[in-house]
Amino acid sequence: NIFFKGTNISTVSDIEGYYSIITNNPKDSLHISMLGYETQIIAIVKGEKQKLNVELKPSGLNLTSVNITPGENPTLPIVR
């Protein structure tokens, strides 16, 4: 998830990590997050076009357990 702080303007990156986000309402920071990684908050210069290269760091979140229960796959009604 990539968004400007304090707005509902957001985008997502493609499989290669490329993204583009544009606003006419200048903000001071861009928030970049992904499940399993630490959120990055990048300061931006208002009113200027910028190219930002960001590398997210793994959050080190470990699951203590995973519960699997019997039943129908929840995606089947959508696929049908």
Side-chain angles (χ1 to χ4, degrees):
N1 190 21
I2 303 165
F3 64 94
F4 287 107
K5 176 184 170 185
T7 73
N8 61 356
I9 300 167
S10 65
T11 189
V12 294
S13 65
D14 66 14
I15 193 76
E16 300 292 327
Y18 293 104
Y19 67 94
S20 178
I21 187 167
I22 299 169
T23 182
N24 292 325
N25 184 11
K27 293 296 171 185
D28 63 355
S29 64
L30 191 65
H31 292 232
I32 304 170
S33 63
M34 184 173 179
L35 185 62
Y37 292 87
E38 294 178 11
T39 298
Q40 295 287 323
I41 301 172
I42 309 296
I44 58 172
V45 179
K46 294 180 182 181
E48 290 188 16
K49 183 177 180 177
Q50 296 173 299
K51 181 177 180 178
L52 303 172
N53 294 313
V54 179
E55 185 174 333
L56 297 178
K57 298 176 185 175
S59 66
L61 177 67
N62 292 320
L63 297 176
T64 55
S65 67
V66 175
N67 294 326
I68 300 172
T69 57
E72 184 178 61
N73 183 327
T75 63
L76 286 179
I78 297 169
V79 174
R80 290 184 199 145

